[in-house]
Amino acid sequence: MLPIAFLILVFLTLQAPEVPADYWESEVGIMDRVNSIMPLDGSIAVTSRGGEMWKPDEMDGVYYIDVDSGKVIWHFRTKGDAFGCGSADLDGDGRMEVVIGSRDQKVTCLEGDGKVKWQVETKGYPISTPTIADLNGDGEMEVVIGTTNGTICSLRGSDGAVIWRFKAEGGIIASPAVGDLEGDGVMDVVFGDGKRFIYKLRGDTGLPVWRIKVDDEVDTSPAAADLDGDGRMELITASWGGMVYCLNGGSGEIKWKFQTGGSVISSPSLGDIDRDGKIEVVIGSMDHKLYCLEGSSGKEKWSFQAESPIIASPILGDLDEDGVVEVVACDREGDIYILSGPDGKVETSSLLNGGIRATPLLSDLNGDGRFELILGDDKGKLRRFDTPGGGKLIWAQFQFDSSNTGIMSPLTDADLADVDLPPKLPWMKREAVSVSIGISQYGKYAPEAEFADRDAIVFAEYAQDVLGVPEENLYLLVNEKANKGEFDKLFGERGWISRRVNINPSQTDVFIFYSGHGITSSNSKRFLVPYGSDPNYPESCYSFEKLINSLRKLKAKTITIFIDACFSGMGRKGETLVKHAKWLVLPPIDIETPSGITIFTSSSGSEISLSYPQKRHGLFTYYLLKGLKGEADEDGDFKVTVRELFK
């Protein structure tokens, strides 16, 4: 048997509470800027270039690592350096797969246990980190990846079959961004090449939409968001010549440029880091500086001078729950800087033995309420640091998410209904926990539940601004993230909710919101349908009785559940969820029982939960939000009671 990584555990206690504690380090081989650190089902997947770059050795490949101990669970060896990786549920079975490119000119898809699902040969090195998305709206995922010979292709996620190829002028080494940039329902693919071009392709066909030529080769992965609040997406990318570009996502027109003092190969991170309601662009340069730019104009807000070039993308999030966003920046010589988002001033710094070129990961991977910061270096070490707390995550990993889409797409003004902007009640703060789950896109086993993801996103905002739930006690899951494994993680005996409620159970209010599909089994048992579950097989879904029993054990002060789903076997548009279903007329769920739990449901018996297309919400959710916004306050005391809401 080939040896895998040698594991070293180091336990330290640091004096300053604001400095993350070094929890463990594990040897996994060299991690360069093309390598990835990804969350995967509560653990970590990382790619490695082995003991020596460009030379095959036993440490090349992808590692699956336990987040609590740093122990290597499995290691898949590639024939030569492993480059970037992406993860998603590619076949709708509720389990995450990992896709990697490697120096043997292959793209490999691995199951969650490290077994090969499929493998495709490429022409040229697939250094470009794979991006995963549903490109053609068929409910199934595709993988987009580029190579050094200039070919970019779309592969079917379930089996790796080539859907389309496009040949660029130059080599592609940066990950493409993928999303609907024009709001027209068509997914777009944007990337740069070594011949100074930036391209936009149609995601469904691979046909070119536009290309523009810039000052130098583009080795940076683009990112996109609505930077000026006009409801349209802008693209941010940069060149080897040190120029940062903001492009109109629809036309490719250059909206602004900013010149740094060195080459830029760090991919941009986007987010509102000073809480002014506007998105900033944070990007590193080979001139040793990290820049914070106004997203709307490109004007420099601040810059920070590091000790050496900045190659890894910065990470954005509130590390200590003080309401201030921090920026985590790393340089090529191993310096780690934690900066204040509003002004770029150093809060703390540390120096590691190895240089950091791979983008770190920031996430609460084990559900303990604190973030874990995972860093890999060019000396072969992977380290976990624990932060003091776990506030709001803004840009927590390379290219925003585990699918590497690079797209930050909040609700735009054009999409907003009258309930989509909750009133802010700053005096309403309480000991409370909220879980908000919305599943619109179900994959191959169930039809769309129209607007369910929007329902959950907006309810989470109401939970914070109206119900008074602290930001760190909010848990939001939408679409493919809301698989059965996540349900177990949330509602299990030692799950996320239990850990938070047990801090002070008798004083903690719990709010659960679910929008999506529900079904009833042949023995009249009700089930919620997580992403990837098959409604024809209730055992693959999540038992409503199991949910209630787990919540009953919490001993919380109050538990309130909102369910925008019916259990009749019908979807929101009247389509059938269960083949050959015999519709059952079931008694309604009594909102007074079980004791201590209040349940609001959108329907009972054989009734169907409907959507409200004009408001882009489920009908039940729309009126629930309307009531929470104040219309249910019959006596005008600025408090909405359960009785008022139920009326």
Side-chain angles (χ1 to χ4, degrees):
M1 180 181 292
L2 294 175
I4 60 176
F6 173 70
L7 181 65
I8 308 169
L9 297 181
V10 178
F11 295 88
L12 299 175
T13 302
L14 300 181
Q15 299 301 314
E18 71 273 9
V19 179
D22 191 348
Y23 191 79
W24 51 250
E25 66 179 36
S26 179
E27 189 162 332
V28 296
I30 295 171
M31 296 197 66
D32 194 30
R33 73 183 187 92
V34 299
N35 295 112
S36 300
I37 306 172
M38 291 286 171
L40 185 65
D41 292 335
S43 294
I44 313 163
V46 301
T47 55
S48 169
R49 303 192 72 171
E52 188 175 353
M53 291 194 296
W54 299 112
K55 291 186 178 181
D57 60 58
E58 295 177 353
M59 295 190 73
D60 290 328
V62 59
Y63 294 79
Y64 186 50
I65 296 176
D66 179 75
V67 69
D68 289 321
S69 66
K71 181 180 179 181
V72 178
I73 299 172
W74 54 256
H75 168 217
F76 175 81
R77 183 187 171 190
T78 53
K79 295 179 180 178
D81 297 3
F83 302 126
C85 72
S87 63
D89 179 7
L90 294 175
D91 51 13
D93 65 355
R95 295 187 294 270
M96 301 290 277
E97 284 80 32
V98 180
V99 182
I100 58 172
S102 53
R103 190 176 182 271
D104 58 352
Q105 301 188 38
K106 290 182 180 177
V107 178
T108 304
C109 177
L110 303 175
E111 302 278 10
D113 58 4
K115 295 179 180 177
V116 175
K117 183 179 180 67
W118 52 258
Q119 202 167 57
V120 175
E121 292 189 1
T122 63
K123 295 180 179 179
Y125 300 127
I127 294 178
S128 162
T129 301
T131 302
I132 304 171
D134 179 4
L135 295 180
N136 53 17
D138 64 354
E140 298 187 6
M141 293 294 188
E142 284 79 40
V143 177
V144 184
I145 192 165
T147 67
T148 52
N149 83 333
T151 300
I152 187 168
C153 59
S154 170
L155 309 175
R156 191 160 58 211
S158 58
D159 58 13
V162 177
I163 298 173
W164 55 255
R165 287 190 178 93
F166 176 82
K167 187 70 166 62
E169 294 290 332
I172 304 166
I173 67 173
S175 177
V178 175
D180 181 2
L181 300 179
E182 298 185 61
D184 58 359
V186 177
M187 296 293 278
D188 303 297
V189 177
V190 180
F191 61 96
D193 72 5
K195 294 291 187 180
R196 306 184 179 187
F197 287 106
I198 300 171
Y199 303 81
K200 175 178 166 181
L201 313 179
R202 283 184 61 106
D204 53 357
T205 63
L207 294 174
V209 179
W210 52 252
R211 75 172 187 178
I212 64 166
K213 195 166 188 177
V214 293
D215 69 300
D216 210 332
E217 66 181 87
V218 179
D219 296 339
T220 295
S221 297
D226 178 8
L227 297 178
D228 53 13
D230 65 353
R232 294 185 289 271
M233 302 288 277
E234 284 78 37
L235 285 160
I236 299 293
T237 191
S239 72
W240 187 253
M243 188 71 76
V244 181
Y245 291 90
C246 176
L247 309 178
N248 181 302
S251 66
E253 176 188 1
I254 296 175
K255 300 189 72 169
W256 56 256
K257 297 186 290 184
F258 178 85
Q259 181 67 58
T260 73
S263 299
V264 177
I265 54 178
S266 167
S267 295
S269 299
L270 310 178
D272 179 9
I273 63 173
D274 56 7
R275 300 297 177 91
D276 65 351
K278 301 175 182 178
I279 294 177
E280 284 78 42
V281 176
V282 187
I283 192 166
S285 173
M286 298 292 281
D287 65 0
H288 302 198
K289 283 187 176 182
L290 184 75
Y291 294 89
C292 176
L293 311 176
E294 289 183 356
S296 58
S297 66
K299 180 181 177 181
E300 181 179 325
K301 299 192 77 167
W302 54 257
S303 63
F304 169 75
Q305 184 75 43
E307 292 295 323
S308 62
I310 297 175
I311 296 174
S313 296
I315 296 299
L316 315 178
D318 181 1
L319 275 61
D320 51 8
E321 301 181 50
D322 64 352
V324 177
V325 176
E326 280 81 34
V327 178
V328 181
C330 307
D331 67 23
R332 194 172 64 184
E333 297 305 317
D335 293 282
I336 307 170
Y337 308 95
I338 298 178
L339 312 176
S340 169
D343 55 21
K345 293 182 178 179
V346 178
E347 293 186 0
T348 187
S349 62
S350 182
L351 177 63
L352 302 181
N353 290 329
I356 301 172
R357 307 183 188 201
T359 299
L361 167 68
L362 181 68
S363 181
D364 180 8
L365 294 164
N366 58 10
D368 65 354
R370 298 191 300 171
F371 291 143
E372 291 78 48
L373 180 64
I374 313 295
L375 292 153
D377 65 32
D378 59 10
K379 299 293 185 184
K381 298 291 193 300
L382 184 76
R383 293 177 173 86
R384 166 182 158 182
F385 295 84
D386 282 0
T387 69
K392 185 176 183 178
L393 287 174
I394 296 179
W395 195 281
Q397 62 191 87
F398 176 74
Q399 284 299 88
F400 188 64
D401 54 32
S402 297
S403 299
N404 301 314
T405 60
I407 306 293
M408 175 183 282
S409 52
L411 298 177
T412 65
D413 290 343
D415 294 328
L416 295 178
D418 56 333
V419 296
D420 284 342
L421 295 176
K424 294 186 181 293
L425 306 178
W427 64 87
M428 280 295 296
K429 290 298 177 186
R430 66 170 92 190
E431 293 194 45
V433 172
S434 172
V435 171
S436 185
I437 301 172
I439 312 170
S440 290
Q441 303 299 326
Y442 268 91
K444 63 183 178 182
Y445 293 121
E448 176 187 11
E450 194 174 36
F451 310 127
D453 48 0
R454 281 176 58 96
D455 290 347
I457 291 169
V458 177
F459 182 84
E461 295 175 357
Y462 272 72
Q464 181 177 357
D465 293 338
V466 176
L467 299 176
V469 180
E471 189 174 55
E472 62 271 16
N473 284 353
L474 297 171
Y475 203 108
L476 173 64
L477 288 173
V478 296
N479 296 329
E480 70 272 9
K481 303 295 184 184
N483 56 54
K484 191 175 181 182
E486 284 292 327
F487 277 64
D488 290 329
K489 175 182 172 181
L490 279 170
F491 303 119
E493 187 173 347
R494 295 185 67 253
W496 184 88
I497 293 179
S498 177
R499 294 185 186 192
R500 277 161 172 73
V501 172
N502 285 341
I503 296 172
N504 192 7
S506 66
Q507 298 300 314
T508 302
D509 298 307
V510 176
F511 300 97
I512 308 294
F513 177 88
Y514 173 84
S515 183
H517 290 316
I519 59 165
T520 301
S521 65
S522 58
N523 60 354
S524 299
K525 298 291 185 181
R526 296 178 176 88
F527 293 83
L528 305 179
V529 184
Y531 177 86
S533 296
D534 189 341
N536 292 285
Y537 298 91
E539 63 273 13
S540 75
C541 302
Y542 198 85
S543 165
F544 190 73
E545 181 180 0
K546 179 181 178 180
L547 170 65
I548 296 300
N549 288 337
S550 67
L551 293 175
R552 182 187 286 121
K553 295 176 183 177
L554 293 177
K555 310 298 183 184
K557 179 182 176 182
T558 66
I559 298 174
T560 307
I561 304 172
F562 303 98
I563 303 290
D564 194 348
C566 63
F567 297 91
S568 64
M570 302 284 283
R572 289 187 171 186
K573 298 179 180 178
E575 65 271 60
T576 302
L577 299 182
V578 182
K579 295 178 181 178
H580 312 300
K582 293 181 179 179
W583 310 124
L584 303 174
V585 179
L586 301 170
I589 301 174
D590 188 345
I591 69 167
E592 300 297 330
T593 59
S595 178
I597 300 179
T598 302
I599 305 173
F600 291 82
T601 61
S602 59
S603 57
S604 63
S606 58
E607 295 174 347
I608 298 173
S609 294
L610 300 174
S611 62
Y612 193 171
Q614 294 87 342
K615 301 297 184 180
R616 299 174 65 82
H617 279 293
L619 184 65
F620 169 83
T621 298
Y622 173 75
Y623 284 103
L624 168 64
L625 298 176
K626 207 170 182 65
L628 290 174
K629 195 167 185 177
E631 291 204 13
D633 183 16
E634 288 186 343
D635 56 12
D637 65 351
F638 298 99
K639 296 179 182 178
V640 177
T641 66
V642 168
R643 186 171 298 278
E644 286 176 325
L645 195 59
F646 185 65
K647 286 182 180 180

